[in-house]
Amino acid sequence: MFSGGLSIWHILLVAVVALLLFGGGGKISGIMGDAAKGIKAFKDGLKDDDSDDKKAKKDPEEPKA
């Protein structure tokens, strides 16, 4: 019934699933690429906010007369 070994069908099934997930023009690889771009943009936005805060503290607004 179950011999504990991997047959050629098991290996082919794993290869097809890996190809769909990580390459081959699949939709999942495109989604993962878009998610990575979104995370990078979010991190860049956080860096910009931090630099704006530091600049505001460094250059206080001039008092109005």
Side-chain angles (χ1 to χ4, degrees), residues 1-59:
M1 190 158 170
F2 182 70
S3 63
L6 293 176
S7 70
I8 187 70
W9 297 111
H10 292 112
I11 295 170
L12 286 175
L13 181 64
V14 169
V16 167
V17 170
L19 184 65
L20 288 174
L21 289 176
F22 301 112
K27 290 184 180 183
I28 294 177
S29 64
I31 292 170
M32 296 305 289
D34 291 341
K37 289 178 187 176
I39 291 170
K40 185 175 180 181
F42 178 74
K43 287 182 179 180
D44 289 343
L46 288 177
K47 287 179 186 177
D48 289 343
D49 288 344
D50 289 342
S51 65
D52 290 344
D53 290 342
K54 288 178 184 177
K55 186 178 178 182
K57 288 179 183 177
K58 202 177 213 183
D59 300 329

